[in-house]
Amino acid sequence: MSVAEVRSLYTSMERRLARARKAFGRPLTLSEKILVSHCWDFERQTWDRGKAILKLRVDRVAMQDVTGQMALLQFMHSGRKRVAVPSTLHCDHLIRAETGSAEDLARAIKENEEVYDFLRSASRKYGIGFWKPSSGIIHQVVLENYAFPGGLMIGADSHTPNGGGLGMLAIGVGGADCGEVMAGLPWEVLHPKLIGVRLTGKLSGWTAPKDIITYLCTLLTVKGGTNKIVEYLGPGAESISATGKGTICNMGAELGATTSVFPFDGRMAAYLRATDRADIAELAERAREHLQPDPEVLTNPKAFYDELVEIDLDALEPHIVGPHSPDRGRPISKLAAEAKANGWPARITNALIGSCTNSSYEDMRRASHVALQGTRAGLHAKVPFWITPGSERIYQTIKRDGLIDAFAKIGGTVLANACGPCIGQWKRSDVRADETNTIVSSFNRNFPGRNDGSAATLSFLTSPEIVTALAFAGTLEFDPVHGTIPDAQGKPFRFTAPEAEELPRDGFARGAEGYEAPADDPDSVQVMVQPNSARLQILEPFSPWDGRDFVDLPILVKTKGKTTTDHISPAGPWLRFRGHIDKISDNMFLGAVNAFTGEAGKGVHPLSGGEPQPFTRIARDLKARGVRWVVIGDENYGEGSSREHAAMSPRYLGCAVVLVKSFARIHETNLKKQGILPLTFKDPRDYDRFGPQDRVSVTGLATLAPGKPVTVTIRKPDGRTETIEALHSLTDEHITWFKAGSALNAAQGERT
């Protein structure tokens, strides 16, 4: 948004917030202030946390080069010549980490040329800012250039909440949501409940912002924030830098939270000024009262939040979480004993710092302080040590200030300013694909296979400074806070707590940051998609509902345990097909564990039987026969990434219904957007009723209505039937999407 648009928003807030206080009969939290200020139609809007559907005006849309492909392909159906809101596209996901920044970038540009050409040309034509490969990771670039206090943005990436570090409600969504908002439609979201996290005390010593969120993940679990906003408050919040706040908000995605946000303060103003946005800082300072909770909320937070968590930063210890889930945590002091008790390999094979979560100047400065201590003690990293700068601005600054040299002296390798190992874009040669091994990183997510495609890799997450210290020891048995390791002479050596400035004293260096503006003459731009492309495929609309009940549908898969979007639609080498719905559908359910067999990625054909085969092969055969199918799932189904391919591939190959114990927010929305019926068991124990040869009927669809349960009938192989009830969260508009075949179809119907 321009300065004038931000000024206009702040000017309107006083009137809008006064109206809301009168309507609600009480003071407002920060989250409520931002939601009210962006309400599409306040007079018609129902405000009921956890139940109402909010229609909101979005200030900004951000996309990356993987999810952005499908978002743009869907937007192209809208018929609009320009996007309706400021939008950007960031090329950060397709660069594979292998040998180092220069070689990896050159390889990526060659391998992904046609995808980059498509994204660049579509951006130029439709008025979208384009950030070319290695400009930086989407969330870091957004924080440096676009995020602002009190704003509302959506992004086609689950870690979009990073923008909460600057007091913005920044929310991860699927590409269909982005396409619709760019086409000028309101954005819909379930009115989130509110978790207040009151911070007291002050971070010091080894304790870092990362420890606040890893501790909170351990406390609330990966579904503790589902359909909730985590709002931080209290005197401890002011002790955290803007980028530290971004770290905390970024990884709030691991709670399943809609988003996370901090109130505006001087730390945010300082960061805005350091990143060339002094005019925005000045406006925010004038509007400060609108960018923080009302005073009564701070005085009595229990009266205004659905849940309240208290964290004393003075007592908080450095934490580390993993393996296999970001909520499996403990203080670093307890890791060695737990690793031994569980038989986890103590030897670390790789240590990695950076990512969209922890690549700020402050992060890199604290890590380099640890690295310099090791160098002075004559030590060298015992394991490969990888550094991922978050942006070109960060890279140029830490290079100028000697941090790159400090990392190089201990054996560090700098990777491209991209996601790389954090999202599975990491080509390893140091271990076998099935070899159990341990890695430590400052990343945000650690599901099996997340980093290197191998479910055998045990991934632990902690702060960059702890990762750096562990790289010198090469083992989980070392506690950097309390322990010692031998120096070059064999004498006990203890690291001192890291020190760092939160902002560079000499300002940020500026390099070739890689931004390309949209074309002045968009009609002259041709969007580049080759008709025989192996990477891109123009979308065809999904078929609308035929008006009939779903009768005797086979079960393609009944998943057991954690079924994340990585399990449903893996990343890694499959990222290259994110713009080609047919090709990427060959990865469908590769990581999902079959509840009937315990095997991942395979099942027995429900019609013809035989030996187990990949789920996608079975689905393609069922589709060829004209047979649609259902999925039965466990708790928090679809946890993790925003990738809508986890909904689009099942829809493309014939999925009609997904029936689970519970859903993750973004994935449930994505299923609705693509015309799949998402249902939850009224009684979670009904999950156990379903067998491999059962047929499933969902009836009464002609009278499908908000809040009305549907009937599900299970027909056993011997002809017996069992009937259960299933619930849904469909609104009238969602039902319109279902009947039209997808949200995109429904939107097109409205325009015609």
Side-chain angles (χ1 to χ4, degrees):
M1 293 176 72
S2 67
V3 174
E5 289 170 319
V6 175
R7 181 184 295 109
S8 177
L9 172 64
Y10 289 169
T11 300
S12 70
M13 289 182 82
E14 184 169 0
R15 171 179 50 83
R16 292 177 179 178
L17 299 183
R19 179 174 57 178
R21 291 188 189 96
K22 182 177 180 180
F24 299 170
R26 58 174 175 78
L28 303 175
T29 68
L30 171 60
S31 299
E32 290 173 322
K33 289 183 177 183
I34 300 176
L35 293 173
V36 163
S37 299
H38 290 83
C39 182
W40 190 268
D41 186 341
F42 185 85
E43 299 303 328
R44 296 185 180 183
Q45 178 64 60
T46 300
W47 300 91
D48 190 358
R49 293 182 195 169
K51 295 181 180 179
I53 298 296
L54 302 181
K55 285 193 173 185
L56 304 171
R57 298 181 184 275
V58 172
D59 295 322
R60 172 167 292 280
V61 171
M63 300 163 284
Q64 33 93 333
D65 51 350
V66 171
T67 54
Q69 294 175 54
M70 201 59 72
L72 289 177
L73 288 166
Q74 292 177 89
F75 170 77
M76 288 164 60
H77 279 290
S78 72
R80 288 190 65 104
K81 290 188 175 183
R82 303 282 280 187
V83 293
V85 299
S87 305
T88 51
L89 191 292
H90 305 257
C91 295
D92 64 355
H93 272 55
L94 291 173
I95 303 173
R96 185 174 66 254
E98 190 172 347
T99 56
S101 177
E103 298 88 347
D104 294 346
L105 176 59
R107 185 187 311 108
I109 291 174
K110 181 178 180 180
E111 291 178 350
N112 303 301
E113 182 178 12
E114 67 172 309
V115 173
Y116 291 146
D117 286 346
F118 162 67
L119 296 173
R120 177 182 279 109
S121 61
S123 296
R124 284 176 52 77
K125 185 172 185 66
Y126 296 118
I128 299 168
F130 180 77
W131 290 82
K132 65 183 183 180
S134 206
S135 299
I137 304 174
I138 176 174
H139 312 303
Q140 180 68 25
V141 173
V142 165
L143 198 71
E144 291 175 354
N145 295 275
Y146 302 121
F148 68 94
L152 173 68
M153 70 169 285
I154 61 172
D157 191 283
S158 56
H159 292 101
T160 299
N162 194 78
L166 277 179
M168 187 178 210
L169 286 189
I171 301 175
V173 298
D177 294 66
C178 292
E180 291 164 13
V181 168
M182 291 190 296
L185 299 176
W187 179 62
E188 289 193 352
V189 66
L190 180 68
H191 189 343
K193 292 187 175 183
L194 299 182
I195 299 177
V197 179
R198 186 172 184 273
L199 304 176
T200 57
K202 185 178 181 180
L203 293 174
S204 62
W206 283 92
T207 310
K210 184 66 161 260
D211 299 309
I212 297 174
I213 187 59
T214 50
Y215 168 73
L216 198 61
C217 284
T218 303
L219 185 68
L220 298 181
T221 80
V222 291
K223 64 177 186 176
T226 303
N227 293 320
K228 300 170 186 174
I229 292 176
V230 181
E231 183 175 318
Y232 294 86
L233 65 154
E238 298 179 16
S239 73
I240 306 167
S241 67
T243 51
K245 293 178 173 77
T247 293
I248 295 166
C249 293
N250 175 298
M251 202 171 158
E254 274 50 74
L255 296 167
T258 300
T259 193
S260 302
V261 68
F262 276 82
F264 175 72
D265 62 16
R267 287 316 217 328
M268 294 184 190
Y271 183 78
L272 287 167
R273 289 188 168 93
T275 51
D276 308 315
R277 290 172 288 173
D279 42 9
I280 301 293
E282 184 176 343
L283 289 174
E285 287 170 334
R286 293 177 185 173
R288 183 185 297 265
E289 65 178 296
H290 304 321
L291 305 175
Q292 299 176 335
D294 282 339
E296 298 89 341
V297 175
L298 298 175
T299 301
N300 185 23
K302 286 186 178 180
F304 298 94
Y305 296 96
D306 300 286
E307 302 171 53
L308 184 66
V309 177
E310 301 260 4
I311 301 178
D312 179 0
L313 301 184
D314 289 333
L316 186 65
E317 296 181 64
H319 271 61
I320 186 166
V321 297
H324 296 332
S325 192
D327 59 357
R328 188 174 189 174
R330 78 292 292 166
I332 187 70
S333 59
K334 296 183 179 180
L335 177 61
E338 191 174 340
K340 183 177 181 180
N342 285 278
W344 300 329
R347 185 179 72 85
I348 298 168
T349 60
N350 285 264
L352 310 96
I353 65 170
S355 81
C356 68
T357 312
N358 279 109
S359 57
S360 68
Y361 183 83
E362 181 182 28
D363 287 327
M364 293 296 179
R365 175 63 82 178
R366 283 172 67 91
S368 69
H369 185 266
V370 174
L372 288 169
Q373 291 182 59
T375 298
R376 287 194 291 268
L379 300 176
H380 195 272
K382 289 188 176 181
V383 300
F385 183 64
W386 307 90
I387 304 98
T388 301
S391 68
E392 182 65 12
R393 184 180 297 194
I394 290 292
Y395 171 73
Q396 293 293 342
T397 305
I398 64 176
K399 180 181 178 182
R400 179 200 67 193
D401 292 354
L403 279 62
I404 294 293
D405 289 340
F407 294 137
K409 287 178 181 177
I410 69 169
T413 300
V414 177
L415 297 172
N417 311 320
C419 299
C422 186
I423 60 161
Q425 284 282 59
W426 183 19
K427 186 175 181 180
R428 296 180 66 181
S429 58
D430 59 310
V431 295
R432 300 187 313 275
D434 60 348
E435 182 179 344
T436 301
N437 73 102
T438 293
I439 65 172
V440 293
S441 78
S442 66
F443 300 165
N444 47 41
R445 195 163 280 167
N446 60 347
F447 304 136
R450 170 75 181 186
N451 302 117
D452 58 6
S454 172
T457 294
L458 307 185
S459 176
F460 293 83
L461 311 175
T462 186
S463 67
E465 49 267 46
I466 294 288
V467 172
T468 306
L470 289 174
F472 284 108
T475 176
L476 297 181
E477 295 172 340
F478 175 53
D479 173 3
V481 181
H482 306 97
T484 63
I485 56 175
D487 65 10
Q489 284 74 44
K491 298 178 181 179
F493 169 74
R494 184 189 299 274
F495 289 102
T496 61
E499 301 172 6
E501 308 90 354
E502 63 186 79
L503 295 168
R505 281 172 288 183
D506 296 327
F508 285 102
R510 303 303 295 265
E513 296 189 18
Y515 174 77
E516 297 180 10
D520 293 329
D521 182 14
D523 291 338
S524 67
V525 179
Q526 180 70 36
V527 177
M528 299 176 67
V529 179
Q530 299 298 325
N532 60 346
S533 173
R535 299 288 300 274
L536 299 161
Q537 182 183 37
I538 299 297
L539 293 174
E540 295 292 334
F542 290 131
S543 299
W545 177 56
D546 62 8
R548 302 175 184 175
D549 287 334
F550 297 134
V551 178
D552 282 347
L553 303 189
I555 299 170
L556 177 74
V557 56
K558 178 180 178 180
T559 72
K560 180 181 179 180
K562 190 181 286 289
T563 308
T564 71
T565 49
D566 285 282
H567 293 106
I568 303 168
S569 181
W574 292 96
L575 287 176
R576 67 185 185 276
F577 296 131
R578 284 290 184 87
H580 199 295
I581 186 61
D582 185 64
K583 289 185 178 296
I584 198 170
S585 294
D586 281 334
N587 76 354
M588 189 182 68
F589 294 117
L590 273 181
V593 176
N594 187 335
F596 301 134
T597 66
E599 185 177 14
K602 292 183 178 181
V604 174
H605 198 299
L607 302 185
S608 58
E611 293 298 314
Q613 56 183 306
F615 288 121
T616 189
R617 190 182 303 167
I618 300 171
R620 287 186 184 278
D621 182 68
L622 292 173
K623 180 179 180 180
R625 301 182 190 212
V627 177
R628 298 191 73 180
W629 42 270
V630 303
V631 173
I632 308 297
D634 213 323
E635 294 280 6
N636 207 28
Y637 182 89
E639 172 189 346
S641 168
S642 70
R643 67 191 65 164
E644 64 191 298
H645 301 76
M648 293 190 77
S649 287
R651 178 69 165 102
Y652 177 73
L653 293 183
C655 181
V657 178
V658 177
L659 174 58
V660 303
K661 293 180 181 178
S662 64
F663 283 106
R665 176 189 64 86
I666 298 178
H667 186 64
E668 183 181 18
T669 299
N670 285 342
L671 292 172
K672 294 175 183 177
K673 294 277 185 181
Q674 303 306 331
I676 292 175
L677 191 62
L679 303 175
T680 56
F681 296 109
K682 184 175 183 180
D683 181 350
R685 293 174 296 182
D686 288 338
Y687 169 88
D688 297 322
R689 294 176 180 268
F690 293 83
Q693 297 303 313
D694 292 351
R695 298 293 180 265
V696 180
S697 298
V698 182
T699 53
L701 296 181
T703 58
L704 190 63
K708 180 182 177 182
V710 299
T711 299
V712 176
T713 302
I714 310 165
R715 184 168 64 83
K716 297 293 181 180
D718 61 5
R720 290 181 299 109
T721 61
E722 300 177 13
T723 300
I724 63 173
E725 276 195 329
L727 309 177
H728 64 81
S729 61
L730 299 169
T731 64
D732 286 327
E733 185 159 11
H734 298 158
I735 293 169
T736 300
W737 299 347
F738 169 71
K739 291 179 177 179
S742 72
L744 187 61
N745 290 357
Q748 287 176 315
E750 290 176 5
R751 283 190 291 272
T752 57

